[in-house]
Amino acid sequence: MTGDRRTGDPRPTDARGSADSGAGARVWVVGIGAASGVGAEEVRASVCAALARAGAARSTVRALVTVAARAHEPGLVAGAALLALPLYARSAAELAEVPVPHPAERVRAAVGTSSVAEAAARLGPVSGAPLGELVVAKMRGVGARPRCTVAIARHVGSAGGEGDRQTS
């Protein structure tokens, strides 16, 4: 195992090139909500802005997670590819069960749950894993007319690992 050559991070990496892969390691999961037509560059820039707010390196992020209804949105899929991160889908029913600080009825009307970004970040890609700790609350995407929201949660151990429904 070697460090992450892309970021200069000297910590050990797992097979996907991410740091902190030990059983008790803290890993980051980014939850992302998006409107139809979101662009890949907005997704990339919004995730990077949220990571900067958290003081987290990209190399510690294990996954992007969104609601199943938006998981095949071209901008989300392409944004995940730009970030070299897997994109996972969780059902609206799963997300609706997660307590969040900023629920929105407008979001519930659109996708069937009052939170996507915060709930997806806390829930992570692995069913049955403990909920992550929200470290960046829902923030609007970057750009003049943001079409996404992003939140970040810290998970311990394998909770940020391989998930159930990877879409990219």
Side-chain angles (χ1 to χ4, degrees):
M1 299 226 208
T2 62
D4 190 330
R5 289 180 299 232
R6 294 169 295 170
T7 64
D9 188 342
R11 293 175 291 176
T13 57
D14 65 12
R16 287 199 310 230
S18 298
D20 295 332
S21 60
R26 292 181 187 267
V27 296
W28 304 83
V29 173
V30 177
I32 187 159
S36 295
V38 67
E41 180 54 30
E42 180 185 343
V43 169
R44 186 204 63 77
S46 299
V47 169
C48 289
L51 288 169
R53 182 177 288 181
R58 169 31 212 110
S59 61
T60 61
V61 177
R62 291 294 187 265
L64 299 180
V65 182
T66 193
V67 66
R70 296 278 195 249
H72 296 289
E73 180 65 35
L76 276 180
V77 173
L82 284 175
L83 291 159
L85 287 169
L87 176 64
Y88 291 91
R90 299 305 291 259
S91 72
E94 290 173 302
L95 296 175
E97 295 296 318
V98 178
V100 296
H102 304 102
E105 288 306 313
R106 182 177 53 83
V107 174
R108 184 188 317 277
V111 295
T113 178
S114 63
S115 175
V116 174
E118 290 175 335
R122 291 199 65 212
L123 193 57
V126 180
S127 289
L131 294 177
E133 172 191 359
L134 198 60
V135 293
V136 175
K138 176 174 65 176
M139 58 180 269
R140 292 186 65 138
V142 300
R145 298 181 67 136
R147 300 189 63 77
C148 70
T149 57
V150 178
I152 300 176
R154 182 175 28 239
H155 292 258
V156 176
S158 62
E162 295 301 315
D164 300 320
R165 290 182 295 275
Q166 186 173 347
T167 65
S168 66

